[in-house]
Amino acid sequence: MGTSSSSSMSPSSTLPYHTPAEIDEIHERLLTTFRAGTTQPLPYRRHQLLQLARLVQDNATALEDAVFKDLGKPRQEAAVAELGNVLNCCLYDADHLEEWTKPEKPQVAAWRSDWDTTVYRVPKGLVLVIGPWNYPYILTLGPFMGAIAAGCTCVVKGSELAPATAQLLADLFPKYLDPHAYAFVNGAVPETTHLLERRWDHIMFTGSSKTGRVIAAAAAKHVTPVTLELGGKSPVVIADDADIEIAAKRVLYGKLQNSGQLCVSPDHVYVPRNKQDAFIAALLKMYKTFWPNGPFHEGSRWGNIVNPAQHARLRSLLNRTKGEVVIGGYFDGDKRIAPTIVKNVKLDDALMEDELFGPILPIIAVDNLEEAIHLIGTQPAPLVIYAFTSDEVVKEKLLELTRSGTLCMNDTVTHLAVYEMPFGGQGDSGHGTWNSKYTFDAFTHLRSYVDIPLALEPKLSDRYPPYTDEKYHAMTATLRTKIPDA
Ligand code: NAD
């Protein structure tokens, strides 16, 4: 596997793109492998999962270097949030394969108890994973390991906006993984469009809501099921009883991961009007603790905005906001933006137009919890709602009266590490879930198997013509069942 000399290059980097002919060849090769049943035996799946873990472990430094080259991502963030998670999940998945794939014997009605009724968990087939640039390891290899666990063959498409990581993964894949079953493909929109013209048995896409709609439309042509992991504006609610210092520390920590370029980044904060100043003072205190010499100091390890276009977008938002910048608001060239806090932001502000995806945190003052819940309800359902409170009534209200992929209390971002729980969006933030077992489920078809013994023929006689009143009466007992009053 690999790219031939005829591959085109991305305009902005030296990343070789796969040609349409190469993509077609890979598709054919992986389809043939799936049809041969190669990827189905559990020892094969286990071996490939452990190989993926080795790929990460053996090359951890090179992988950290690559994402530093692409995004200036601090080594610690790459190691913990991405590589450590991938490695852990590979081992966890490998250890749970037998349990997850066990055929299930459902409890059936008494009159069917002599039948063999079994639900098998079978691989969907040849699947496609399309990943974004911001977390280029966990968001490509995470879904990919679910495809391996499920017994699928799989093409992974990396992001052209993280070219060093995409190139490294394309190089490492065939060294560790079965090239007849798995391939890492590189390209931009034309190459992804070509991939989408092929038939896949499932597509798992992580990226923007705008592109998600393109993917869903392309998948619909082949009636292909999709998992859409999209973005959105994830709000934070500071309740009346919140510990302001801890809330400020945890919000700032989450907001500034990958310089705010994270799908579950706290996008904006609803704070009680009488607590706004105290909350901002606490944010400022934390800010000084996190970056005692300022974010652009050499030792601060503050990452880049992915490209000049995104940098310009964020600068334009800051130019247009009618809120008051209380921290940050400055940049160095077109690479970085200082962590920025803006207060007294209104819902019709430029900062509330779209997912921010950068280190800008608007603060919206509200009269009470009910107003925050109301305002959240006027926005598209986000990936996550964060809330800081110890009040069980407040937690209950948020559970009942809001919609989001996840509801996370008293912290930000870290819920992603709970790979034993599903992760996914709702409404505009996407549909379907992934994370370890849930990724396995997404790439698995529940295949019902029924075997009705020939010896039961006498019991089935009433179903056959000629139909008579007696047979009708015998076959329609259900219609005369007594329905309980309540
Ligand atoms: P993107 O939608 O621009 O790109 C994602 C992938 O789609 C890339 O591989 C890209 O090559 C491809 N692509 C882009 N435009 C396409 C088109 N017109 N046709 C076909 N393919 C196309 O997203 P991004 O900028 O890489 O990532 C940022 C977005 O991803 C943010 O909105 C963020 O919230 C979201 N995101 C979501 C999650 C999640 O788990 N829900 C995780 C990370 C990022």
Side-chain angles (χ1 to χ4, degrees):
M1 193 184 61
T3 51
S4 77
S5 53
S6 60
S7 301
S8 63
M9 295 283 200
S10 71
S12 60
S13 74
T14 53
L15 178 68
Y17 290 171
H18 282 74
T19 63
E22 287 171 328
I23 290 172
D24 292 348
E25 186 278 319
I26 289 169
H27 187 274
E28 191 57 36
R29 176 169 17 117
L30 271 50
L31 195 57
T32 305
T33 303
F34 182 74
R35 288 183 178 151
T38 311
T39 52
Q40 299 224 18
L42 296 194
Y44 173 93
R45 301 187 207 184
R46 182 175 168 82
H47 175 67
Q48 296 298 323
L49 284 168
L50 298 181
Q51 281 297 101
L52 183 55
R54 280 187 196 100
L55 180 157
V56 169
Q57 193 169 62
D58 295 352
N59 301 284
T61 306
L63 291 161
E64 287 168 15
D65 288 346
V67 77
F68 182 79
K69 191 170 175 203
D70 283 336
L71 302 172
K73 189 181 282 204
R75 199 171 281 279
Q76 181 170 328
E77 286 185 26
V80 176
E82 299 224 68
L83 304 180
N85 259 338
V86 171
L87 206 150
N88 256 339
C89 287
C90 281
L91 303 181
Y92 181 83
D93 285 14
D95 283 346
H96 286 81
L97 283 179
E98 295 218 1
E99 177 192 326
W100 294 347
T101 52
K102 211 167 162 215
E104 188 190 331
K105 292 272 181 197
Q107 182 83 39
V108 295
W111 66 275
R112 291 192 279 256
S113 58
D114 293 336
W115 305 3
D116 178 358
T117 47
T118 310
V119 180
Y120 288 96
R121 290 176 157 75
V122 300
K124 282 189 177 171
L126 169 55
V127 301
L128 175 63
V129 166
I130 304 176
W133 53 265
N134 64 332
Y135 280 75
Y137 301 133
I138 187 73
L139 296 174
T140 51
L141 304 183
F144 171 55
M145 81 180 73
I148 300 177
C152 295
T153 52
C154 181
V155 168
V156 182
K157 156 70 179 61
S159 171
E160 68 280 18
L161 299 185
T165 54
Q167 178 65 67
L168 183 56
L169 288 176
D171 290 344
L172 292 174
F173 254 51
K175 292 184 183 152
Y176 285 83
L177 300 155
D178 181 357
H180 298 288
Y182 315 114
F184 195 95
V185 166
N186 276 319
V189 173
E191 291 74 17
T192 318
T193 306
H194 190 79
L195 279 166
L196 290 169
E197 282 160 8
R198 314 292 95 201
R199 176 183 284 279
W200 305 92
D201 296 303
H202 192 100
I203 299 174
M204 190 169 285
F205 169 80
T206 305
S208 63
S209 298
K210 187 170 153 243
T211 312
R213 286 168 167 76
V214 175
I215 306 293
K221 287 196 185 137
H222 294 289
V223 202
T224 296
V226 286
T227 303
L228 295 178
E229 297 290 350
L230 310 179
K233 289 180 84 63
S234 296
V236 181
V237 177
I238 307 291
D240 267 326
D241 70 309
D243 180 318
I244 293 288
E245 291 249 329
I246 293 185
K249 190 199 278 185
R250 294 184 178 191
V251 169
L252 197 60
Y253 165 77
K255 178 72 193 180
L256 302 174
Q257 293 297 301
N258 204 32
S259 298
Q261 301 164 110
L262 170 60
C263 58
V264 293
S265 194
D267 186 273
H268 53 282
V269 180
Y270 295 106
V271 64
R273 203 170 299 285
N274 60 1
K275 298 224 158 69
Q276 183 175 222
D277 289 341
F279 183 62
I280 285 168
L283 285 170
L284 186 57
K285 185 175 155 195
M286 291 310 155
Y287 184 96
K288 287 182 176 156
T289 315
F290 288 177
W291 299 285
N293 300 310
F296 296 164
H297 184 267
E298 223 178 77
S300 294
R301 302 182 188 189
W302 177 241
N304 301 335
I305 300 303
V306 63
N307 57 32
Q310 289 300 320
H311 199 274
R313 176 183 66 83
L314 291 163
R315 281 198 320 263
S316 148
L317 290 176
L318 281 178
N319 282 337
R320 289 191 290 126
T321 182
K322 294 195 167 60
E324 185 186 331
V325 174
V326 285
I327 303 174
Y330 56 94
F331 354 99
D332 66 342
D334 60 5
K335 266 199 163 354
R336 295 185 291 180
I337 294 187
T340 299
I341 316 280
V342 187
K343 79 171 196 180
N344 289 330
V345 172
K346 301 271 185 294
L347 227 55
D348 60 359
D349 194 85
L351 295 179
M352 293 303 290
E353 280 169 5
D354 219 335
E355 181 183 15
L356 284 166
F357 225 61
I360 304 171
L361 185 66
I363 313 288
I364 302 172
V366 288
D367 289 336
N368 48 38
L369 177 71
E370 285 65 32
E371 187 184 0
I373 289 176
H374 168 73
L375 294 179
I376 289 170
T378 64
Q379 306 288 305
L383 261 185
V384 197
I385 294 174
Y386 299 108
F388 285 81
T389 180
S390 300
D391 185 335
E392 293 305 320
V393 176
V394 173
K395 293 180 186 177
E396 204 59 41
K397 271 193 181 171
L398 287 163
L399 260 176
E400 275 178 19
L401 301 178
T402 63
R403 285 182 352 129
S404 62
T406 300
L407 179 59
C408 177
M409 312 304 296
N410 296 311
D411 202 4
T412 63
V413 169
T414 307
H415 63 282
L416 279 183
V418 192
Y419 55 75
E420 300 87 347
M421 289 175 86
F423 173 67
Q426 207 191 6
D428 281 37
S429 53
H431 55 246
T433 57
W434 76 281
N435 232 352
S436 202
K437 163 79 161 66
Y438 299 92
T439 325
F440 166 88
D441 286 341
F443 290 124
T444 295
H445 172 63
L446 295 181
R447 192 174 195 198
S448 291
Y449 172 94
V450 187
D451 187 349
I452 303 169
L454 300 184
L456 297 181
E457 194 55 21
K459 284 191 184 174
L460 299 172
S461 59
D462 283 343
R463 71 180 185 174
Y464 298 118
Y467 299 140
T468 63
D469 290 348
E470 290 72 27
K471 285 182 179 177
Y472 177 88
H473 189 78
M475 294 288 287
T476 55
T478 310
L479 297 178
R480 296 184 294 278
T481 308
K482 168 127 180 60
I483 298 171
D485 292 335

